[in-house]
Amino acid sequence: MSSTSTTRRSFLARGAVLASVPAIATLAGGVLAEPASADDTLPDYAPIPPSALGPALNAQGYFVGRVEKNLYWVTDGTYQAAFLTTRDGVVLFDAPPTIGDNLQRAIDEIASANGVSSKVTHIVYSHHHADHLGASSLFGRDVIRVGQIETKRLLARDNDPTRPLPDVTFETHHTLRVGGERIDLAWLGTNHTPDNSYIHFPDHDTLMLVDIVLPGWVPYDSFNLNEDVPGSIAAPAKAMAFPWKHFIGGHMGRLGNRRDLVIYQQYVNDLIDGVKKALVAVDPTPFFAKYGDNSWAAVKTYQDAQVNYAAAPVIKKYTGVLAAADVYTASSAFVILESVRLDLGVGSQIHP
Ligand SMILES: [Zn+2]
């Protein structure tokens, strides 16, 4: 099949999903009482490179495919989960609510084709966030849930019935063995969240690390809302230290590879270089001269100028390479600017 027709089918599948959005908004009492139509006042963005898109979704709105051997991945085009079929049942990795009941449909589809059990016996949690775990409760109470110790603490804090607490926890390393299969879990420091874990499949040449690198795409708004910016910047190198060929990033429509992590590291390094230059090059004088006693107005406009100085060449370089470079690079540049200032101390001056 040509890539053009694959892209077109992906587009049509996504269109079907998006078509339900106005109906949902109406149900929720939203303002969209009329079917959505193109709004000329909305900004235009650069086209998405075809390399950012994955396989077409089926009529139920998901795609399930083999990663390697008995390891599979599921996507709705935006979120990803994975599962391993074993002789003793299925191990599920994350349960995004947007995929929801399609998780079991995908598992049933693969299990019946291969004549293995479709019963989910274990769910491994990548990190505590609801957008990756909110369908966990669909699998009932008898499932063994596995997560890092901080995942359990944060879930206890959040007290959300859709995300039952892990039954099995670990601090730094845990090897999970189910039905003759091996999964190595590791906690290597805080990054996106305090609890985010590296899920390594040594017999399947695969690493799952969620919410750090989104293959084919720039990070989501404000550097992916990463709680620990230096820890998140350091995470891809830790991921690369594991042996693997296939990467499950938890987001968007396709699997990743080692090249995706290299591009991501280049993108982040270019942003760091850009903000370091901006801290030296952008003159604060006109902003403070104009706004006088309104310090926040001066700081905001000064930092907007620094962000623009840092982001503009990065947007230009990565447009056509990473999807949505023109959508979210500026907000990530601001977060990285603050980290370079506050964590690294660049641009800090001691009053004489
Ligand atoms: Zn997250």
Side-chain angles (χ1 to χ4, degrees):
M1 179 186 302
S2 75
S3 62
T4 307
S5 69
T6 306
T7 303
R8 182 171 155 73
R9 287 203 298 133
S10 301
F11 173 78
L12 291 172
R14 285 183 182 85
V17 173
L18 290 174
S20 65
V21 170
I24 292 165
T26 305
L27 279 174
V31 293
L32 288 172
E34 300 289 318
S37 58
D39 183 338
D40 292 341
T41 65
L42 290 173
D44 291 316
Y45 292 110
I48 297 301
S51 58
L53 297 174
L57 307 181
N58 63 18
Q60 283 107 334
Y62 71 89
F63 169 85
V64 59
R66 174 176 273 133
V67 181
E68 190 163 311
K69 293 187 277 190
N70 52 335
L71 177 64
Y72 298 86
W73 68 295
V74 192
T75 184
D76 60 7
T78 306
Y79 280 86
Q80 301 176 352
F83 63 91
L84 194 57
T85 61
T86 83
R87 60 172 186 247
D88 295 338
V90 174
V91 185
L92 176 62
F93 301 87
D94 280 356
T98 57
I99 307 179
D101 282 314
N102 279 336
L103 290 165
Q104 189 65 59
R105 285 190 193 100
I107 292 165
D108 290 347
E109 180 184 330
I110 296 299
S112 71
N114 295 305
V116 295
S117 167
S118 64
K119 182 168 175 46
V120 174
T121 59
H122 295 71
I123 305 178
V124 173
Y125 288 175
S126 66
H127 68 302
H128 73 288
H129 276 165
D131 62 331
H132 292 273
L133 300 186
S136 175
S137 61
L138 294 179
F139 296 88
R141 293 180 172 209
D142 294 337
V143 172
I144 298 168
R145 294 172 170 87
V146 183
Q148 206 264 340
I149 187 76
E150 189 70 5
T151 303
K152 184 173 187 175
R153 195 188 68 75
L154 291 165
L155 288 174
R157 175 199 71 179
D158 297 344
N159 192 28
D160 171 4
T162 72
R163 291 173 284 159
L165 303 189
D167 308 289
V168 176
T169 59
F170 64 96
E171 286 194 30
T172 60
H173 293 86
H174 179 70
T175 295
L176 178 64
R177 293 178 192 276
V178 180
E181 305 294 334
R182 173 178 175 163
I183 305 112
D184 291 333
L185 308 174
W187 180 83
L188 303 175
T190 65
N191 48 62
H192 168 65
T193 52
D195 59 327
N196 203 22
S197 300
Y198 297 70
I199 303 167
H200 187 229
F201 303 86
D203 302 322
H204 299 80
D205 245 346
T206 299
L207 184 77
M208 182 169 180
L209 175 65
V210 170
D211 278 350
I212 296 290
V213 178
L214 320 182
W217 294 73
V218 298
Y220 170 67
D221 204 348
S222 305
F223 196 39
N224 229 33
L225 302 177
N226 291 324
E227 293 181 32
D228 178 347
V229 173
S232 300
I233 292 169
K238 295 179 183 180
M240 292 291 257
F242 289 85
W244 54 268
K245 280 200 319 219
H246 317 290
F247 181 80
I248 302 167
H251 275 289
M252 311 316 267
R254 70 163 172 86
L255 289 176
N257 53 47
R258 299 185 78 89
R259 173 98 189 115
D260 288 314
L261 270 69
V262 171
I263 293 171
Y264 171 91
Q265 289 175 303
Q266 287 169 347
Y267 172 83
V268 173
N269 285 334
D270 286 343
L271 276 178
I272 294 168
D273 290 346
V275 300
K276 284 180 177 172
K277 283 184 196 149
L279 283 164
V280 175
V282 179
D283 178 10
T285 312
F287 307 99
F288 287 88
K290 177 172 173 70
Y291 294 108
D293 287 344
N294 190 345
S295 297
W296 281 169
V299 168
K300 182 193 187 301
T301 52
Y302 173 41
Q303 291 199 310
D304 285 347
Q306 290 175 317
V307 162
N308 187 46
Y309 184 98
V314 177
I315 292 168
K316 192 169 178 211
K317 179 175 173 182
Y318 289 91
T319 294
V321 177
L322 290 174
D326 53 345
V327 179
Y328 279 144
T329 296
S331 72
S332 289
F334 176 73
V335 171
I336 289 172
L337 168 71
E338 290 303 294
S339 176
V340 165
R341 269 188 350 103
L342 304 176
D343 296 319
L344 305 186
V346 175
S348 173
Q349 289 167 3
I350 297 172
H351 194 286

